[in-house]
């Protein structure tokens, strides 16, 4: 260190002199000439300083050549040299500025002023010409031992391999977990600084926590897929090209391209619409995939607990881990209790891995299955094993759903029929052509023959195109519906859930956060058999002994998964955790005067038992500092904690024995709180003297002392009663499954409208989990339909109920938010996880995520599921009507006259039918059975009536149109074509309502439908009035247009009359009732 100091002084002195030497010498020579005797002594001193400087420079060069660069790391001090004036002579300080390597190479030297003043005899020793004063401060002994190391010097490759390979030897090279935390410039308790510059630096050095996904398919790939995947389109494309070639060769380019060009335009139109719909669907799926992977993570930054996106996690972050969380990045375990993770997503091993100091490695993408703890992030994004695995996979959104398969089956059947008709038309046209052209002796040119053959083939193949829906209706309706569902806080993770939603017959829902607001408040506090009406910080007003107050503070502060942070002594505390934990911590901080940091510092935690849904309690074993006593604290469901107690404290802090009578009295208090819709939580405590050599590993569960009872109020969601009534009207049964006691469960179910006032505890509508699981298989099947509420249920009870309902033929949807809910979510037909309180394990298992944790959003999902199914049925009814009409007209006309009047007809407006929004009438019908036919009797009634009418008027126009209207052949063909298109236009309105007579209800709300109708009208006007040569049409006058519109408009009154005809059909509800 002395050598370094010397070299720094030399470097600065040399730099200063090199810049100022010439000016100083010139100025000072003048002084010498004026007053040589006076300044002789001073010049001797100057020459001595120069000589001394050159010696230091030579020493500096020796050290630099011998030991390499002066400073090898970015931790260094740059000296900023400033001029000294008369005012600053007394200032002995210099400035040390931190910088980087570039700043090290550019030592800043201040340029001296060039003034010279002659000082009197009493002035300072040095003249006032510009000079530099360097004051080197002494080095303290502590700084000699300091080892400042920046995370910029950490070997990033080793850091990435550390956790990924679970390399304990490499961890030792880093000096262990604590030393590595120090290397990453992180504080174990306070986390990283977390300011913008710190986060940007860490992201630049270690990269961001994002995965490089496979690039999504572009629009051209969808176009190519549509062209080359469909054989019919390929055949038509070949025919179009041949028609173009022969047409141009025969009639020249100006007149010869119309025939083939019209087919090409039809193909392009169909391909583009289908490609656009599927491309839009793909984009929606990408957005949903990004949304579903955006997980919220709790980290510690700048002494505060914060919830951030998983994409914002950086190396060095301290992450809080709880049951159900997904590990956001690779990292190392810092502290925690009973932490177990599921690494099956990475390693394929199904057993849970214990994480502790001996095995501190936490892999990104794994799930926390038990316990809680803290970790430090060491690798993010593509530097993790999970990142590399995710980058090579894509979400499978192309998996064919059951509804899509059924639609494809209908299309396949229709296509086969149309292929047969197309083959017959081809044969008839071929025979008639050769018969007509060989009747005379004149030879036909080869070009004419080939052009006619191509036209016949194109006409026949085009007929089969009617079976191809213009743009996949499933792609359009799913893309549109998923976008609308997202706007209503429903995130679809699996496409199959969209169609299954419409068939749901039973919803098994949790209470907390779904039926209730999750805004928990502590409203009652009981000590023994007395209620504490008002709790304030003043202990005397509570009339509680100091010892009991301290026990209550310990019971809350030590046995909690929440945290309390107070940024400043004058600011209000910030409380983090679940709604229940936050309510209890708030009560303890503000009413009991608890200082959680002081409580934790005075105790050493020995063992923690995290909250368990089976036991419905959590516990902690602690030892007070400098004491040989072991304290056990339990917190959980009141009646279960009460059963573990043999004594209790009264309000005065006196310990009393809990006999049978006292236990009944306390049980009555718990019951009364439950009937007021309060969740009752109890605190219990036991103290054991630690004997020498004795190791206590298990928390005491008997002989506890009851500390107190608290009642928590969680209000119901606004509008929940209306939502439940809507489900009941729709034939969907609601069953509430909760861990609350039977009294609280019944009160909440009554408030939500799940139970009727006359259904008491003695009825079969309310059961407890233990009672339900003790039923035999036959008893469960017999009583399952009557059960509305299951209290004190465990996750295994929920799973058992789902299995029983499915065996009875129900389509079951289940809501869940915890890790233990995963089996039931997976078993159900539709798993609905909660977006706010739900764990990542629950979300990963579910089919749909309810983003606002609101049951009303569940009902919205059910309504949209029915709407999707209904929209597909509307589309099918419309398309089948069109197909039947085209087939009959083309076949009849081809046989009679050898012409195909409706060879290429496309009604793209039909796609607007699949964008209808749900209406309230959908929730007045029973659920749609998954085995129920897609084409119902009602649809057959509607489409046959419309097809018969269209076929009738078009055949009349074909064979008698010229006679009735006095038209030539070309005008008649245009009239038929125009009437057919307008019939489809009017029939789109009919298809909007399958059963309702008022087909215009809600029409103005569907802007897309109206826009599509308008575009179709404009397209038809252009085809008939302006593109005559291209479309092979003839302009129509006002009278002919009026005739077409009147004939097409008759479909509306026909639709109204047909819907008056009753249709026999068995409803799913009736089938289920008869089966049961």
């Amino acid at each position: 260190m002395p050598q370094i100091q010397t070299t720094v002084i030399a470097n600065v002195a040399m730099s200063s002199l090199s810049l100022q030497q010439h000016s100083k010498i010139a100025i000072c020579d003048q002084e010498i000439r004026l007053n040589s005797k006076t300044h002789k002594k001073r010049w001797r001193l100057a020459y001595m300083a120069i000589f001394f400087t050159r010696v230091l420079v030579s020493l500096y060069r020796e050290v630099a050549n011998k030991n390499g660069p002066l400073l090898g790391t970015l931790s260094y001090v740059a000296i900023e040299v400033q001029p000294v004036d008369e005012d600053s002579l007394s200032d002995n300080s210099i400035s040390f500025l931190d910088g980087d390597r570039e700043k090290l190479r550019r030592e800043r030297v201040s340029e001296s002023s060039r003034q010279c003043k002659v000082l009197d005899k009493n002035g300072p020793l040095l003249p006032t010409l510009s000079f530099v004063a360097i004051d080197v401060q002494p080095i303290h002994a502590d700084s000699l031992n300091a080892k400042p190391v920046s995370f910029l010097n950490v070997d990033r490759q080793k850091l990435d391999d550390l956790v990924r390979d679970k390399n304990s030897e490499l961890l030792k090279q880093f000096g262990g977990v604590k030393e590595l935390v120090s290397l990453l410039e992180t504080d174990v308790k306070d986390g990283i600084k977390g300011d913008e510059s710190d986060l940007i630096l860490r992201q630049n050095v270690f990269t961001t926590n994002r995965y490089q996904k496979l690039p999504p398919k572009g629009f051209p790939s969808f176009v190519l897929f549509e062209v080359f995947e469909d054989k019919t389109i390929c055949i038509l494309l070949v025919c179009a090209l041949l028609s173009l070639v022969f047409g141009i060769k025969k009639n020249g380019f100006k007149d010869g391209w119309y025939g083939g060009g019209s087919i090409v335009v039809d193909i392009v139109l169909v391909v583009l619409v289908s490609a656009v719909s599927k491309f839009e669907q793909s984009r929606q799926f990408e957005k949903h995939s990004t949304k579903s992977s955006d997980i919220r993570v709790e980290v510690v930054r700048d002494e505060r607990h914060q919830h951030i996106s998983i994409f914002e996690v950086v190396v060095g972050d301290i992450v809080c881990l709880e049951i159900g969380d997904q590990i956001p990045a690779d990292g190392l375990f810092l502290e925690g209790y009973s932490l177990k993770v599921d690494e099956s997503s990475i390693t394929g091993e199904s057993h849970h891995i214990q994480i502790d100091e001996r095995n501190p490695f936490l892999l990104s993408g794994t799930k926390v299955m038990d316990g809680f703890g803290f970790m430090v992030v060491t690798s993010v994004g593509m530097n993790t094993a999970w990142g590399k695995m995710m980058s090579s996979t894509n979400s499978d959104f192309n998996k064919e759903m059951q509804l899509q398969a059924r639609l494809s089956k209908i299309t396949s059947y229709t296509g086969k029929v149309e292929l047969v008709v197309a083959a017959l038309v081809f044969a008839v046209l071929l025979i008639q052509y050769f018969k007509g052209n060989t009747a005379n002796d004149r030879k036909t040119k080869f070009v004419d023959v080939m052009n006619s053959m191509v036209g016949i083939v194109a006409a026949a193949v085009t007929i089969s195109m009617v079976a191809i829906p213009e743009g996949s209706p499933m792609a359009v309706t799913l893309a549109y519906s998923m976008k609308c569902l997202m706007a209503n806080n429903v995130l679809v993770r699996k496409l199959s859930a969209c169609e299954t939603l419409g068939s749901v017959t039973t919803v098994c829902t949790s209470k907390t956060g779904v039926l209730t607001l999750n805004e928990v408040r502590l409203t009652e506090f009981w000590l023994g058999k007395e209620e504490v009406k008002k709790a304030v910080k003043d202990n005397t007003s509570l009339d509680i002994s100091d010892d009991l107050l301290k026990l209550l503070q310990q019971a809350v502060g030590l046995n909690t998964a929440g945290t309390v942070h107070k940024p400043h002594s004058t600011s209000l505390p910030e409380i983090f955790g679940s709604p229940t934990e936050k309510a209890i911590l708030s009560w303890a901080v503000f009413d009991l005067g608890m200082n959680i940091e002081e409580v934790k510092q005075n105790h050493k935690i020995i063992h923690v038992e995290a909250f368990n849904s089976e036991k419905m309690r959590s516990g902690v074993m602690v030892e007070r500092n400098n004491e040989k006593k072991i304290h056990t604290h339990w917190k959980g469901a009141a009646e279960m904690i009460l059963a573990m107690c043999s004594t209790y404290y009264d309000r005065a802090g006196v310990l009393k024995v809990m006999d049978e009578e006292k236990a009944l009295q306390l049980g009555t208090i718990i019951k009364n709180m439950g009937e007021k819709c309060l969740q009752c939580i109890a605190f219990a405590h036991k103290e054991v003297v630690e004997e020498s050599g004795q190791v206590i590993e298990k928390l005491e569960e008997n002989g506890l002392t009851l500390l107190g009872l608290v009642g928590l109020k969680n209000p119901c969601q606004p509008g929940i009663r209306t939502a439940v009534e809507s489900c009941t009207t729709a034939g969907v049964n609601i069953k509430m499954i909760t861990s609350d006691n039977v009294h609280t469960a019944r009160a909440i179910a009554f408030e939500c409208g799940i139970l009727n006032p006359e259904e008491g505890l003695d009825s079969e509508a309310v059961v407890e989990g233990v009672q339900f699981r003790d039923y035999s298989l036959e008893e469960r099947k017999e009583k399952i339909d009557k059960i509305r509420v299951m209290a004190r249920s465990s996750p295994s009870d929920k799973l058992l109920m789902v299995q029983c309902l499915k065996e009875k033929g129900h389509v079951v949807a289940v809501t869940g938010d915890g890790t233990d809910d995963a089996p039931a979510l997976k078993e159900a037909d539709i798993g609905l996880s909660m977006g706010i309180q739900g764990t990542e394990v629950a979300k990963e298992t579910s089919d749909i995520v309810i983003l606002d944790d609101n049951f009303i959003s569940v009902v919205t999902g059910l309504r949209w599921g029915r709407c999707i199914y209904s929209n597909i049925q509307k589309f099918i009814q419309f398309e089948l009507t069109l197909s039947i009409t085209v087939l009959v007209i083309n076949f009849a006309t081809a046989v009679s006259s050898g012409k195909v009047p409706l060879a290429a007809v496309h009604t793209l407006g039909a796609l607007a039918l699949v964008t209808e929004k749900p209406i309230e009438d959908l929730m007045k019908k029973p659920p749609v059975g998954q085995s129920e036919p897609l084409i119902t009797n009602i649809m057959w009634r509607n489409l046959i009536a419309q097809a018969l009418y269209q076929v009738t008027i078009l055949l009349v126009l074909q064979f008698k149109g010229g006679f009735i209207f006095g038209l030539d052949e070309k005008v008649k063909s245009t009239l038929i074509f125009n009437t057919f298109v307008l019939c489809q236009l009017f029939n789109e309105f009919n298809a909007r309502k399958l059963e309702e007579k008022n087909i215009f209800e809600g029409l103005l709300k569907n802007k897309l439908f109206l826009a599509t109708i308008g575009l179709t009208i404009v397209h038809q006007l252009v085809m008939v009035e302006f593109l005559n040569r291209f479309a092979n049409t003839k302009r129509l006058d006002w009278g002919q247009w009026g005739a077409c519109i009147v004939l097409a408009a008759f479909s509306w009154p026909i639709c109204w009359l047909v819907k008056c005809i009753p249709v026999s059909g068995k409803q799913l509800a009736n089938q289920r009732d008869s089966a049961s």
Side-chain angles (χ1 to χ4, degrees):
M1 294 300 294
Q3 285 183 342
I4 294 176
Q5 285 183 316
T6 305
T7 53
V8 171
I9 296 170
N11 186 24
V12 174
M14 182 180 66
S15 303
S16 176
L17 289 174
S18 64
L19 292 174
Q20 302 176 4
Q21 189 173 8
H22 296 293
S23 61
K24 284 185 177 180
I25 291 174
I27 296 172
C28 292
D29 282 343
Q30 293 177 1
E31 288 187 345
I32 291 172
R33 286 195 298 270
L34 293 174
N35 197 359
S36 59
K37 293 182 180 180
T38 307
H39 300 290
K40 186 179 293 184
K41 187 178 293 185
R42 293 177 180 174
W43 273 110
R44 287 195 189 103
L45 292 173
Y47 284 124
M48 288 177 64
I50 294 171
F51 175 78
F52 178 69
T53 301
R54 292 185 179 276
V55 172
L56 291 179
V57 169
S58 63
L59 290 174
Y60 160 74
R61 288 175 177 169
E62 268 186 41
V63 174
N65 295 332
K66 189 174 182 180
N67 299 327
L70 177 63
L71 294 174
T73 69
L74 296 183
S75 301
Y76 66 91
V77 175
I79 302 177
E80 180 181 18
V81 186
Q82 297 180 347
V84 179
D85 53 20
E86 291 180 6
D87 296 332
S88 62
L89 285 174
S90 59
D91 188 3
N92 296 324
S93 64
I94 66 171
S95 58
F96 291 86
L97 304 175
D98 293 335
D100 53 17
R101 295 183 188 272
E102 295 301 325
K103 290 182 181 178
L104 180 62
R105 297 192 186 101
R106 298 175 297 168
E107 297 170 340
R108 296 186 296 173
V109 181
S110 302
E111 193 169 343
S112 305
S113 62
R114 299 182 180 181
Q115 297 178 354
C116 178
K117 294 181 181 179
V118 180
L119 303 177
D120 57 17
K121 294 181 180 180
N122 297 326
L125 175 64
L126 294 176
T128 57
L129 37 102
S130 301
F131 65 92
V132 176
I134 302 175
D135 182 15
V136 180
Q137 296 181 354
I139 299 176
H140 298 286
D142 295 338
S143 63
L144 291 173
N145 300 324
K147 298 180 180 179
V149 180
S150 168
F151 62 78
L152 297 169
N153 299 316
V154 177
D155 190 326
R156 293 192 290 274
Q157 186 60 47
K158 289 184 178 180
L159 197 62
D160 295 340
D161 296 339
L162 172 65
V163 175
R164 192 166 54 213
D165 300 337
K166 296 188 176 182
N167 194 329
S168 300
E169 292 299 323
L170 192 57
L171 181 59
K172 291 180 181 178
Q173 294 179 19
F174 279 109
V177 176
K178 300 296 183 183
E179 185 65 25
L180 182 58
V181 171
S182 177
L183 292 176
L184 296 176
E185 296 185 1
T186 301
D187 187 275
V188 175
K189 290 187 177 180
D190 300 337
I192 63 175
K193 294 179 181 178
D195 55 19
E196 185 176 359
S197 59
D198 184 34
L199 295 177
I200 292 175
L201 181 60
R202 291 177 186 272
Q203 290 176 349
N204 291 336
V205 173
F206 298 105
T207 194
T208 59
N209 197 30
R210 291 182 179 271
Y211 312 127
Q212 297 176 1
K213 295 183 178 181
L214 294 175
K217 292 193 297 183
F219 180 72
S221 63
F222 285 95
V223 174
L224 294 175
F225 177 83
E226 290 297 324
V227 172
F228 295 107
E229 185 70 14
D230 197 303
K231 295 179 181 178
T232 307
I233 291 180
C234 292
I235 295 172
L236 272 176
L237 195 58
V238 173
C239 292
L241 294 176
L242 290 174
S243 180
L244 274 173
V245 171
F246 292 122
I248 292 172
K249 187 174 181 180
K250 179 181 179 181
N251 302 317
F253 181 80
K254 186 176 181 180
D255 298 323
W257 70 274
Y258 291 114
S262 62
I263 302 177
V264 171
V265 170
D266 289 333
I267 295 172
V268 170
L269 197 58
V270 171
V271 169
L272 283 179
V273 172
S274 183
V276 166
S277 62
K278 292 182 179 179
F279 177 66
E280 181 63 23
Q281 182 193 33
S282 176
R283 288 180 56 194
Q284 288 295 328
F285 291 159
E286 284 295 324
K287 291 180 182 178
H288 279 65
S289 177
T290 303
K291 179 70 177 178
S292 60
S293 60
D294 187 6
I295 300 168
R296 306 301 294 176
V297 180
E298 184 179 352
V299 299
V300 182
R301 289 180 180 176
D302 194 23
E303 304 180 15
R304 296 184 59 199
H305 286 249
Q306 305 175 25
H307 285 88
I308 63 172
S309 168
I310 188 174
F311 303 130
E312 298 173 1
V313 173
V314 297
V315 170
D317 262 327
I318 304 298
V319 180
C320 310
L321 301 175
E322 297 179 356
I323 296 177
D325 286 348
Q326 176 177 313
I327 308 297
D330 285 357
L332 297 170
F333 173 78
L334 290 176
E335 60 180 1
Y337 302 95
S338 307
L339 191 64
K340 292 182 179 180
V341 299
D342 178 10
E343 296 184 351
S344 59
S345 58
I346 299 292
T347 63
E349 299 292 335
S350 58
H351 61 277
H352 298 165
I353 307 298
Q354 180 74 40
I355 302 296
D356 49 28
E357 290 79 5
R358 290 170 294 180
N359 178 33
F361 306 105
L362 290 161
L363 296 173
S364 175
T366 57
K367 308 293 191 304
V368 179
M369 305 307 294
D370 196 12
F372 64 91
F374 295 87
M375 65 171 281
V376 59
V377 175
T378 58
S379 300
V380 295
M382 293 302 297
N383 296 328
T384 65
W386 178 256
K388 292 182 177 179
M389 184 175 68
M390 291 297 291
S391 66
S392 61
T393 60
N394 251 346
S395 299
D396 184 17
F397 289 114
N398 296 321
K399 183 179 179 181
E400 189 176 51
M401 302 184 303
Q402 183 180 359
L403 186 57
Q404 177 69 63
R406 295 166 70 183
L407 183 60
S408 300
K409 196 173 182 180
I410 293 173
T411 303
S412 176
Y413 287 150
T414 308
K416 290 176 182 179
V417 174
E418 291 179 343
L419 284 174
V420 172
V421 175
L424 292 174
V425 169
F426 174 76
V428 170
L429 292 178
L430 195 64
I431 293 171
Q432 290 184 349
Y433 174 76
F434 282 109
K435 183 179 178 181
N437 284 275
T438 57
N440 49 29
D441 296 332
R442 189 180 55 176
K443 292 185 178 180
T444 307
K445 295 181 179 180
F446 175 77
V447 174
D448 295 337
V449 173
M450 291 304 299
N451 199 21
S452 299
M453 290 297 100
V454 170
I456 292 172
V457 172
V461 174
T462 306
I463 292 174
S464 63
M465 284 187 66
V466 181
I468 306 170
E470 292 88 350
S472 171
M474 282 301 296
V476 175
T477 189
L478 287 176
Y480 178 75
S481 301
M482 290 176 68
K483 182 178 180 180
C484 294
L485 282 169
M486 174 69 81
N488 287 279
N489 298 309
V490 180
L491 173 63
V492 179
R493 296 188 68 254
K494 299 178 182 177
L495 285 182
S496 57
C498 290
E499 59 175 295
T500 312
L501 276 170
S503 303
V504 170
T505 61
T506 302
V507 177
C508 298
T509 178
S510 306
K511 182 211 75 175
T512 305
V514 183
L515 301 176
T516 58
L517 280 174
N518 241 357
E519 298 176 359
V520 184
R521 293 180 295 106
L522 194 148
T523 58
E524 290 191 15
F525 171 41
W526 290 73
L527 286 174
K529 297 181 292 181
E530 298 181 60
E531 180 183 3
V532 180
K533 290 290 185 182
K534 185 179 180 181
V536 293
K537 292 183 180 179
D538 185 4
N539 298 345
T540 57
S541 63
L542 281 173
D543 196 18
I544 302 177
S545 65
D546 291 341
D547 292 338
L548 180 55
L549 184 63
K550 290 179 180 178
L551 283 175
L552 285 170
Q553 293 175 349
Q554 294 168 20
V556 176
L558 298 174
N559 187 15
T560 181
T563 57
V564 179
H565 174 65
K566 195 172 185 180
H568 307 287
S569 58
T570 58
S571 61
L572 291 174
E574 298 176 356
I575 300 174
F576 303 91
S578 67
T580 301
E581 293 285 3
K582 288 168 67 176
I584 295 175
L585 285 172
S586 298
W587 166 70
V589 169
F590 295 109
D591 291 0
L592 300 182
M594 179 190 70
N595 185 334
I596 192 169
E597 291 299 327
E598 181 181 335
V599 171
K600 289 184 176 181
Q601 289 173 4
N602 293 334
H603 295 82
K604 175 186 176 183
I605 296 179
I606 301 173
H607 184 69
V608 173
E609 186 169 320
F611 179 81
N612 188 294
S613 299
E614 295 284 345
K615 295 183 178 180
M616 299 180 191
R617 63 176 184 259
S618 63
V620 62
M621 181 190 299
V622 299
E623 181 181 17
R624 188 173 177 83
N625 297 341
N626 303 321
E627 288 186 6
K628 295 294 183 180
K629 295 180 180 179
I630 302 298
H631 298 266
T632 298
H633 287 278
W634 285 102
K635 175 183 69 178
E639 66 270 21
M640 295 187 174
I641 297 295
L642 186 65
M644 301 162 61
C645 297
S646 57
T647 55
Y648 70 97
Y649 283 109
D650 63 6
R651 185 166 183 170
V654 178
L655 187 65
K656 294 187 176 182
V657 178
M658 186 186 300
D659 54 22
E660 186 176 350
E661 182 182 355
K662 302 286 180 58
L664 288 175
Q665 292 175 349
L666 291 170
T668 303
I669 294 173
I670 296 171
K671 174 185 174 183
N672 293 336
M673 277 198 282
E675 291 177 347
K676 290 183 283 187
C677 298
L678 298 181
Q679 180 186 4
C680 193
I681 303 293
F683 300 94
H685 165 261
K686 186 172 184 178
E687 180 182 301
V688 178
V689 179
E690 183 180 8
E691 299 179 2
S692 58
Q694 182 184 12
V695 178
I696 302 176
E697 296 182 351
K698 188 177 180 182
L699 276 69
E700 293 285 342
E701 297 185 6
N702 297 308
L704 302 175
T705 299
L706 181 68
L707 296 179
L709 301 170
V710 292
L712 305 175
K713 178 68 174 178
N714 194 353
C716 290
Q717 297 272 7
I720 187 65
R721 194 176 188 89
T722 304
V724 171
E725 290 175 354
S726 176
C727 288
T728 304
T729 304
V732 180
N733 299 316
I734 307 299
K735 300 183 186 297
M736 187 178 78
I737 304 175
T738 177
S739 59
D740 288 337
N741 63 52
V742 68
H743 305 287
T744 304
R746 182 185 179 280
I748 293 291
F750 173 71
E751 188 174 344
C752 294
I754 297 175
L755 285 179
N756 299 323
E758 63 272 8
E759 292 175 317
L761 295 178
D762 297 332
S763 70
E764 296 179 339
V766 182
V767 297
E768 289 189 325
V770 62
Q771 182 183 357
F772 181 76
R773 77 178 76 110
D774 288 340
Y775 286 150
S776 64
L777 181 61
E778 291 74 18
E779 286 177 321
R780 277 198 295 269
K781 286 186 177 182
E782 179 184 350
K783 298 180 179 182
I784 190 69
D785 289 326
K786 299 177 183 179
I787 296 175
R788 304 280 189 84
V789 176
M790 184 160 64
R792 283 294 179 233
S793 64
S794 64
S796 59
D797 297 328
K798 181 183 286 189
L799 175 61
L800 192 62
M801 174 170 278
V802 172
Q803 292 172 340
C804 186
L805 286 168
K806 291 183 69 176
E807 289 175 3
K808 288 270 293 185
H810 289 268
V811 179
V812 186
V814 171
T815 69
D817 54 9
T819 303
D820 294 335
D821 291 327
L825 291 170
K826 190 174 182 179
E827 178 68 24
D829 296 286
I830 296 181
L832 304 164
S833 63
M834 300 298 108
I836 300 175
Q837 294 299 323
T839 63
E840 292 309 316
V841 174
K843 294 177 186 177
E844 193 74 20
T845 312
S846 65
D847 306 294
I848 292 174
V849 180
I850 306 300
L851 299 177
D852 60 349
D853 291 15
N854 195 333
F855 185 79
I856 297 175
S857 297
V858 176
V859 179
T860 301
L862 296 178
R863 187 179 289 110
W864 268 102
R866 296 186 176 200
C867 182
I868 292 171
Y869 191 90
S870 176
N871 287 345
I872 294 298
Q873 286 185 316
K874 295 172 185 177
F875 183 88
I876 291 173
Q877 176 180 301
F878 177 84
E879 281 291 325
L880 287 179
T881 304
L882 183 148
S883 300
I884 292 172
T885 304
V886 170
L887 289 177
V888 173
I889 295 297
N890 282 340
F891 182 74
T893 308
V895 171
S896 61
S897 61
K899 295 181 180 179
V900 180
L902 304 175
V905 178
H906 303 291
T907 53
L908 301 175
L911 290 178
L913 289 171
V914 297
T915 60
E916 288 281 348
K917 293 185 177 180
I919 57 176
E920 288 300 324
D921 288 344
L922 289 173
M923 299 301 286
K924 296 178 182 178
K925 304 173 184 177
V928 179
Q930 290 183 308
S931 59
E932 190 173 331
L934 192 57
I935 306 176
T936 63
N937 293 337
I938 293 173
M939 293 170 62
W940 281 119
R941 177 197 65 187
N942 297 340
L943 71 89
I944 289 175
Q946 291 295 326
L948 283 175
Y949 172 71
Q950 292 181 22
V951 167
T952 301
I953 62 172
L954 292 176
L955 285 178
V956 170
L957 290 176
Q958 174 66 32
F959 296 109
K960 298 294 182 179
F963 174 77
I964 297 173
F965 296 100
L967 306 174
D968 59 23
E969 192 65 27
K970 196 164 187 179
V971 175
K972 185 185 73 172
S973 299
T974 304
L975 195 70
I976 293 172
F977 168 68
N978 198 41
T979 303
F980 173 79
V981 172
L982 291 178
C983 281
Q984 309 317 312
L985 197 68
F986 280 88
N987 195 34
E988 286 184 40
F989 289 87
N990 297 331
R992 289 187 67 246
K993 306 290 183 180
L994 297 179
E995 299 182 55
E996 295 80 3
K997 296 178 182 179
N998 184 6
I999 59 176
F1000 304 106
E1001 183 181 358
L1003 179 63
L1004 298 179
K1005 295 180 181 179
N1006 193 341
K1007 306 298 183 183
L1008 181 59
F1009 181 86
L1010 294 175
T1012 307
I1013 294 295
L1015 288 175
T1016 304
I1017 294 173
V1018 172
H1019 172 265
Q1020 187 63 16
L1021 282 171
V1022 172
M1023 291 288 288
V1024 173
E1025 298 297 325
F1026 302 102
L1027 299 179
N1028 304 122
R1029 297 185 65 185
F1030 177 79
N1032 196 24
T1033 58
K1034 189 77 173 177
R1035 298 188 68 175
L1036 302 178
D1037 57 29
W1038 288 105
Q1040 292 163 348
W1041 269 102
C1044 294
I1045 294 173
V1046 170
L1047 289 173
F1050 264 105
S1051 65
W1052 284 353
I1054 290 174
C1055 174
W1056 188 88
L1057 291 172
V1058 166
K1059 289 179 180 178
C1060 295
I1061 302 174
V1063 176
S1064 61
K1066 294 183 179 180
Q1067 300 294 342
L1068 180 64
N1070 297 335
Q1071 292 179 351
R1072 189 165 60 247
D1073 292 340
S1074 61
S1076 60

